[in-house]
Amino acid sequence: MHDCKNTASFTHQALVKGPLWMGADFDLVIRDGHIVTPKGVVEGDLAITGGRIAEIGSNFGHATREISAAGKYVMPGGVDVHAHIEQMSGMGLMNADTFETATRSAAMGGTTSVISFAAQAGGQRLSQTLCDYEARAKRGAMIDYAFHLTLTDLSVPSFEEDLANLVAAGHRSLKIFTTYNIQLRDPEVLKVLTLARRCGALVCVHAENDAIIARAKNALLAAGKTAPQDHATSRPRMAEIEAVERMCRFAEHLDQPIMLFHISTEEGAAAVQAAQRRGAPVWAETCPHYLLMTDEVLNQPGIEGAKFMCSPPQRSAVDQAALWHALDAGTLSLVSSDHAPYRFDASGKLSAGPNPRFDEIANGLPGLETRLPLLFDAMVSRGTQGPEAFCQITSTMPAQLYGLKNKGALSPGMDADVVLWDPDKTVTYGADDLHDNVGYNPWEGRTVKGWPEQVVLRGKTVMHKGEFFGVAGEGAWIDRPELATKPKGLTNE
Ligand code: DUC
Ligand code: ZN
Ligand code: ZN
């Protein structure tokens, strides 16, 4: 076997040119790691050529570059399928992150593919929406990306034609809301599901019942309860339960696959499980802030709780346990970040002034960079689920369910998106140590064991030991020619 003890000086081509062996067999070999593949953990080497995984085995010949992975896990790059980037919120507020800052942050945390949103503005043709977001991503993205098309206005010219064309072009997921000022009413939801079935797209849903929320919110405001702590009460768990159940029934009725975003409650997960048992084409995700935080985080002095405000809100310890159980059982298929970045200042959380009411505060927390270390710690380091399950829910399943071609697994022919994880490194998050543009870390003070040491995107190192080597515009759009989540009536041929 090649001795790679002296190879530390050529671990990234951006800085140091490695020795160019005549007739090197591969562009890059990552040697002696615990390689997590879909078939289990392989002790050995991973070879890369032309940005793709060439082989997994041992005793490979020379490569132009070598990386020693002794004592490290070699895992597929993270696939985060739910992140808001350079996007206008329902409240008319621009996210704090551009594609450049968001994807830098993602890569620093071990994520190499992201699906963000191309969000239709009121009255806007879908073709224009996509053009706008494509331009933003092309300018800034440093990891690979795709878009969910957020549908907010079905009355625009050429809606059905544009939708069919965009889906056929590889934009195979749609996003709809049942709440906020961009919500669709039931007849419109049914129409979107029907169109999606016709053109082969997955429909992602933010499922909370708007009327239940409005009633709870108005009662709180009338009683003078306006603090961030009151946000959790303003979005009763029944709002999620009702909307999740209704969306599951719609998916079942029309035989159209849906993905329920950010499940936060035990009953929401149970509704998903019941629908799946009936054979309904229903999938669901949750997020680290539901698995690892409770609504206690909103109880901060003054307005500080705003930093943790998201919708649906964090719930109870009982819900946390139920969500972990649902992940274990496969009811929930994946964990996304729902990265929704707003600064804790007048540009973001405090846009309505220094003392806003809870309903005037933008929802969301940053999560692209912390999703994987938090879950590696919870699943791998604490020994609850193990490295295969970690890769499954953070990379393989998200890539498969959303049809992200060549992403999500370490197998020959797949894109060489690889992360070396140091299982022994322990880090305590600080106040502002993330690489996004948010300026605070909601996980400040939390200690995680297990840390991404090196991140490789299509064969090129974009992060090594905390140093970033990505280049704006080098992230590539990911084609999605077809989905794994087909209606039952359609086949996979
Ligand atoms: N809730 C949303 O609906 N979107 C972004 C973030 C959040 O908390
Ligand atoms: Zn949402
Ligand atoms: Zn979201």
Side-chain angles (χ1 to χ4, degrees):
M1 187 175 286
H2 176 78
D3 176 11
C4 30
K5 289 207 174 69
N6 297 320
T7 58
S9 61
F10 45 93
T11 49
H12 43 80
Q13 65 202 26
L15 287 190
V16 186
K17 261 215 160 93
L20 285 171
W21 282 292
M22 289 300 290
D25 296 334
F26 304 105
D27 294 345
L28 169 64
V29 172
I30 299 172
R31 295 197 189 268
D32 302 326
H34 313 297
I35 307 170
V36 185
T37 78
K39 293 181 183 154
V41 181
V42 173
E43 305 296 331
D45 306 344
L46 181 140
I48 295 167
T49 287
R52 296 272 175 92
I53 296 169
E55 277 184 67
I56 295 170
S58 54
N59 299 321
F60 289 151
H62 289 313
T64 309
R65 290 188 304 136
E66 306 254 345
I67 295 172
S68 170
K72 308 281 176 352
Y73 279 109
V74 180
M75 293 181 159
V79 177
D80 194 339
V81 290
H82 183 170
H84 301 265
I85 303 176
E86 221 166 326
Q87 186 193 328
M88 199 70 90
S89 78
M91 293 169 86
L93 218 54
M94 193 61 172
N95 283 168
D97 274 319
T98 61
F99 274 87
E100 194 167 334
T101 60
T103 56
R104 176 182 66 199
S105 177
M108 294 299 288
T111 287
T112 51
S113 298
V114 66
I115 310 185
S116 58
F117 297 87
Q120 182 192 22
Q124 189 179 45
R125 267 190 71 167
L126 288 179
S127 50
Q128 186 58 49
T129 306
L130 203 269
C131 276
D132 290 352
Y133 280 87
E134 256 178 353
R136 293 172 200 181
K138 274 187 181 155
R139 190 165 54 227
M142 313 210 225
I143 64 170
D144 293 351
Y145 61 89
F147 298 108
H148 305 295
L149 300 171
T150 304
L151 308 179
T152 63
D153 184 352
L154 279 51
S155 70
V156 295
S158 309
F159 177 80
E160 293 189 25
E161 190 190 339
D162 282 358
L163 184 64
N165 288 339
L166 290 169
V167 174
H171 304 286
R172 292 215 174 256
S173 48
L174 315 175
K175 161 84 180 289
I176 57 172
F177 290 83
T178 64
T179 185
Y180 294 129
N181 55 0
I182 47 176
Q183 68 187 275
L184 302 187
R185 308 284 169 187
D186 284 355
E188 295 173 307
V189 173
L190 292 168
K191 181 172 179 185
V192 168
L193 294 177
T194 305
L195 295 174
R197 189 177 195 281
R198 203 177 290 157
C199 53
L202 177 65
V203 179
C204 307
V205 192
H206 176 124
E208 287 184 289
N209 179 298
D210 193 63
I212 291 178
I213 293 167
R215 187 169 181 278
K217 183 183 93 173
N218 292 336
L220 284 162
L221 295 181
K225 293 181 178 263
T226 60
Q229 289 89 319
D230 299 310
H231 170 70
T233 326
S234 81
R235 301 190 89 100
R237 54 198 301 117
M238 192 54 77
E240 172 172 295
I241 298 162
E242 188 282 330
V244 166
E245 284 179 348
R246 182 162 36 103
M247 292 302 118
C248 287
R249 289 295 182 184
F250 284 3
E252 185 177 358
H253 175 56
L254 295 176
D255 183 28
Q256 163 55 34
I258 60 169
M259 169 66 68
L260 290 153
F261 271 175
H262 44 52
I263 295 293
S264 66
T265 60
E266 179 178 20
E267 300 93 322
V272 170
Q273 186 182 50
Q276 291 168 341
R277 287 188 174 156
R278 295 194 302 271
V282 170
W283 284 263
E285 59 155 47
T286 189
C287 310
H289 42 278
Y290 305 115
L291 290 166
L292 300 169
M293 285 174 176
T294 67
D295 57 4
E296 287 287 306
V297 291
L298 298 171
N299 295 329
Q300 309 277 342
I303 203 74
E304 280 283 306
K307 290 179 177 173
F308 303 89
M309 275 179 55
C310 57
S311 292
Q314 296 87 349
R315 307 286 183 181
S316 69
V318 172
D319 292 297
Q320 280 185 341
L323 295 176
W324 280 113
H325 183 71
L327 270 173
D328 245 354
T331 306
L332 302 178
S333 300
L334 62 100
V335 178
S336 74
S337 68
D338 197 5
H339 180 81
Y342 298 100
R343 297 181 67 82
F344 191 61
D345 62 25
S347 73
K349 293 279 186 184
L350 307 182
S351 65
N355 240 321
R357 296 189 323 235
F358 67 79
D359 62 320
E360 298 170 322
I361 298 171
N363 285 324
L365 23 154
L368 270 167
E369 190 167 341
T370 49
R371 178 185 71 122
L372 293 176
L374 289 166
L375 291 173
F376 188 102
D377 174 62
M379 299 178 72
V380 185
S381 302
R382 296 181 197 222
T384 54
Q385 272 101 341
E388 292 99 331
F390 168 77
C391 292
Q392 186 73 7
I393 66 161
T394 60
S395 180
T396 309
M397 277 304 266
Q400 269 176 13
L401 289 178
Y402 285 95
L404 294 165
K405 200 175 166 201
N406 295 330
K407 300 294 188 189
L410 300 182
S411 310
M414 301 294 271
D415 283 356
D417 299 343
V418 186
V419 181
L420 270 69
W421 284 86
D422 179 347
D424 299 317
K425 182 162 175 170
T426 294
V427 170
T428 301
Y429 281 120
D432 184 17
D433 47 5
L434 303 180
H435 298 81
D436 54 28
N437 189 36
V438 175
Y440 73 92
N441 184 346
W443 303 96
E444 179 186 352
R446 192 179 181 93
T447 299
V448 292
K449 186 169 180 218
W451 196 249
E453 177 175 296
Q454 186 154 357
V455 179
V456 173
L457 174 69
R458 284 179 277 107
K460 186 182 166 194
T461 294
V462 292
M463 188 278 273
H464 185 216
K465 292 194 170 165
E467 226 180 313
F468 185 68
F469 302 104
V471 177
E474 284 198 353
W477 176 72
I478 310 166
D479 191 11
R480 295 191 282 157
E482 65 168 2
L483 290 171
T485 49
K486 303 250 186 233
K488 278 178 292 179
L490 299 180
T491 61
N492 259 321
E493 87 268 5

